[in-house]
Amino acid sequence: MIISIIAAMSDNRVIGAHGKLPWDIPADLARFRSLTMGHAVLMGRKTFESIGHPLDGRKNIVLSKSMGRTDGVIVARTLQEGIAAAEGDEELFICGGEAVFREALPLCQRIYLTVVHGQYEGDVHFPQPPCSFAEMHREEFLEGSPSTTYLVMEKVDQIQPGSDVFELREKGVEALNRQLYFLARCCFGQAQALEDAPETASDLAFSQAKSGGDVGEALKLAERAFRDDPDNLRIRLNLGRILVLAGEKGKGLEMLRKGVQAGGGQEFYTELAKCGTRGTPPIKSLPRSHPLNRYLGLLMNRLNMRG
Ligand SMILES: NC(=O)c1ccc[n+]([C@@H]2O[C@H](COP(=O)([O-])OP(=O)(O)OC[C@H]3O[C@@H](n4cnc5c(N)ncnc54)[C@H](OP(=O)(O)O)[C@@H]3O)[C@@H](O)[C@H]2O)c1
């Protein structure tokens, strides 16, 4: 699970005043909603009270030592307990306020930060992230009132200027493994600019699709990489995943199943399982995790004996 912080702060780092947000920016609230929807959100008791109700479509975790049982929320007594309650989710969003951000910063891998331009009066502030966080994505909305800048930062070992294709690819793959998709996109983008290669193009496409880039563009890039190197299982895996992300689930599943038949391993099974496509185990009377079921299932998939 990736732990992210999501916050909006003014140029002078204010995030709140007298228990409320000091601004009203519907577009930013809409972005918050769309980023967090379907995931776990964790917040301090005062932030929860300022919202006034659990956030719909999300697992709500509220940190408090004083709050009793409350409908629609999990009350956690410590940050660690709150994080444990989100386990199993792909991404946990830490939503504030100040003390919660401060405590969570050393544990988090990504920060979605809206900078609201202007000096605001307030009583709570956003702490300075450590310099291990690098900006991975920036969008300016200067015509808004107030104008805002939307930033995504990820915890990284900085990309060394002058890195060669091998180093960039290695860093990109490591970032993908850690689900640091913005960083992966930077690394593969730079590697691809130095040397056009199908596998790098395919990894770039996947990190683009996962980091809020244009999924249609990512799909075109992944398809091109697949045409250039159809026997490469990593390229096939990326294309299968991107097809699913692009809403073409049937084609994506076919791509992934063929990957299994071609000898693809655990990553293909994991993707298929995420799509909820696991069939009944070969020996129904034994648990799915029983070694006989695991090896028979593997064999049947390899021999294309499962629908
Ligand atoms: N701009 C933004 O992105 C943003 C985001 C969130 C909030 N805000 C603003 O920030 C303000 C609220 O934030 P705040 O900093 O005053 O309060 P808060 O962090 O929302 O809530 C503080 C409370 O959370 C509980 N808590 C915090 N850390 C805990 C821990 N480690 N273990 C157990 N409980 C813990 C405690 O509750 P108990 O006292 O019950 O033990 C504590 O009093 C509001 O103005 C809100 O609008 C802004």
Side-chain angles (χ1 to χ4, degrees), residues 226-243:
F226 184 65
R227 279 196 301 277
D228 289 346
D229 190 357
D231 297 329
N232 183 318
L233 282 172
R234 186 176 177 89
I235 290 179
R236 177 180 282 279
L237 177 71
N238 282 337
L239 180 53
R241 287 160 155 171
I242 296 171
L243 280 163

Side-chain angles (χ1 to χ4, degrees), residues 6-305:
I6 185 161
M9 69 164 197
S10 65
D11 285 331
N12 55 330
R13 310 198 80 82
V14 164
I15 59 167
H18 314 297
K20 296 202 175 104
L21 291 178
W23 44 73
D24 177 24
I25 310 175
D28 195 51
L29 295 178
R31 184 192 289 112
F32 175 91
R33 183 178 168 78
S34 104
L35 282 168
T36 57
M37 188 50 73
H39 295 291
V41 288
L42 182 152
M43 65 195 85
R45 191 249 312 156
K46 292 181 189 167
T47 298
F48 175 69
E49 285 173 356
S50 80
I51 298 171
H53 55 82
L55 297 172
D56 64 323
R58 286 150 279 189
K59 183 191 272 184
N60 287 248
I61 303 164
V62 177
L63 280 191
S64 169
K65 298 210 190 297
S66 65
M67 211 168 121
R69 284 171 68 100
T70 306
D71 279 350
V73 307
I74 298 168
V75 180
R77 301 296 179 207
T78 63
L79 180 61
Q80 285 308 337
E81 199 183 307
I83 291 172
E87 216 38 82
D89 260 285
E90 195 185 345
E91 187 165 9
L92 164 65
F93 287 87
I94 309 274
C95 307
E98 179 172 338
V100 179
F101 284 143
R102 207 173 283 287
E103 194 180 345
L105 255 178
L107 306 175
C108 98
Q109 289 106 317
R110 185 180 296 154
I111 304 173
Y112 301 89
L113 184 63
T114 302
V115 182
V116 180
H117 295 303
Q119 302 291 316
Y120 285 79
E121 298 260 318
D123 43 30
V124 274
H125 296 82
F126 190 70
Q128 182 72 46
C131 53
S132 50
F133 279 91
E135 185 183 314
M136 294 292 154
H137 178 79
R138 167 180 285 255
E139 281 174 72
E140 308 276 3
F141 299 95
L142 299 178
E143 70 295 343
S145 174
S147 61
T148 55
T149 301
Y150 169 60
L151 300 173
V152 181
M153 289 178 271
E154 284 183 354
K155 193 183 272 178
V156 291
D157 311 321
Q158 296 284 345
I159 305 171
Q160 296 298 324
S163 298
D164 62 23
V165 173
F166 177 78
E167 288 162 341
L168 287 164
R169 268 206 60 80
E170 198 175 46
K171 205 161 209 82
V173 170
E174 190 198 326
L176 268 191
N177 291 341
R178 291 165 59 202
Q179 298 176 20
L180 298 176
Y181 298 117
F182 291 93
L183 173 62
R185 188 172 165 177
C186 285
C187 295
F188 292 125
Q190 287 184 28
Q192 184 67 356
L194 290 173
E195 184 186 298
D196 185 7
E199 192 164 303
T200 307
S202 162
D203 284 328
L204 173 62
F206 179 59
S207 40
Q208 252 173 29
K210 289 292 279 185
S211 60
D214 183 330
V215 180
E217 286 299 315
L219 185 54
K220 278 189 210 151
L221 191 59
E223 283 172 336
R224 198 200 75 190
F226 184 65
R227 279 196 301 277
D228 289 346
D229 190 357
D231 297 329
N232 183 318
L233 282 172
R234 186 176 177 89
I235 290 179
R236 177 180 282 279
L237 177 71
N238 282 337
L239 180 53
R241 287 160 155 171
I242 296 171
L243 280 163
V244 173
L245 286 171
E248 299 197 39
K249 193 170 170 185
K251 283 189 190 172
L253 292 178
E254 196 189 331
M255 186 61 62
L256 294 167
R257 288 202 184 106
K258 285 193 175 153
V260 171
Q261 288 156 24
Q266 190 54 47
E267 283 176 306
F268 284 87
Y269 290 107
T270 307
E271 288 307 316
L272 286 166
K274 274 192 206 157
C275 296
T277 61
R278 299 175 79 187
T280 46
I283 306 173
K284 295 188 191 73
S285 54
L286 291 176
R288 185 188 293 283
S289 57
H290 191 283
L292 260 178
N293 266 336
R294 288 175 60 177
Y295 293 112
L296 272 177
L298 205 73
L299 191 68
M300 287 168 76
N301 279 325
R302 289 268 153 84
L303 298 174
N304 201 15
M305 286 169 64

